[in-house]
Amino acid sequence: MPVDFPAWDRVYAFFRRWRDKGLVKEFHERLRGKVREAAGRDPEPSAGIIDSQSVKAAASVPASSRGFDGGKKINGRKRHIVVDTTGLLLTVRVTAASVTDREASQGLLAQLATRFFLLRRVWADGGYTGPLGLDPGFWTPETLGS
């Protein structure tokens, strides 16, 4: 801990209280808007980028939450993230590595649709090709693609 912070147990008590009341998420949302405004952008994103990364899981990770990513030859988990065009985090989901990008994107994009009303374009790589089963009124066919 930095020397100008209170004792670690007091700091942790504040963090725990904020986390339990959902304030950590609220702080993140507000700070993202402020950073976007400081960069001369609208606080609400209109475009994003989706991607995933497979990571090895430790032996202590339960087998029920792990999987094998055949393309990357990794036994572990996969983190799926959506960021805005400045790289600021919009949403994240962790799955078994065996879950395809297309499968995970359905939940992520549906979650985005309820939280970010101005978001109209999401760029993705080839792992997201094929039907996503999303509302065509929100995500047009040209919205997702390389």
Side-chain angles (χ1 to χ4, degrees):
M1 298 289 296
V3 294
D4 55 342
F5 273 45
W8 75 269
D9 54 340
R10 295 226 357 114
V11 173
Y12 184 68
F14 272 96
F15 167 75
R16 195 173 54 234
R17 195 171 326 142
W18 291 347
R19 180 198 60 204
D20 294 346
K21 291 182 178 188
L23 293 175
V24 173
K25 187 175 182 180
E26 173 80 15
F27 294 157
H28 181 264
E29 300 287 328
R30 288 185 186 193
L31 284 172
R32 183 181 51 243
K34 295 286 186 192
V35 169
R36 288 182 56 82
E37 284 180 330
R41 296 178 174 269
D42 192 291
E44 180 85 10
S46 62
I49 303 159
I50 186 171
D51 206 359
S52 67
Q53 180 183 29
S54 296
V55 292
K56 292 180 182 177
S60 59
V61 174
S64 61
S65 67
R66 287 187 301 190
F68 186 73
D69 182 347
K72 298 201 172 83
K73 309 284 190 266
I74 291 180
N75 183 6
R77 292 181 173 169
K78 190 182 281 188
R79 51 183 165 233
H80 309 268
I81 65 167
V82 181
V83 296
D84 68 6
T85 54
T86 63
L88 299 172
L89 185 66
L90 299 179
T91 190
V92 64
R93 172 178 281 169
V94 177
T95 65
S98 56
V99 174
T100 67
D101 292 348
R102 184 174 51 249
E103 292 169 341
S105 69
Q106 292 177 0
L108 281 174
L109 295 176
Q111 183 181 17
L112 284 175
T114 62
R115 290 177 51 202
F116 300 102
F117 301 109
L118 298 180
L119 192 68
R120 289 291 176 247
R121 181 169 299 274
V122 176
W123 285 280
D125 62 19
Y128 297 90
T129 57
L132 294 175
L134 298 171
D135 175 12
F138 186 82
W139 304 100
T140 59
E142 64 273 1
T143 301
L144 292 171
S146 302

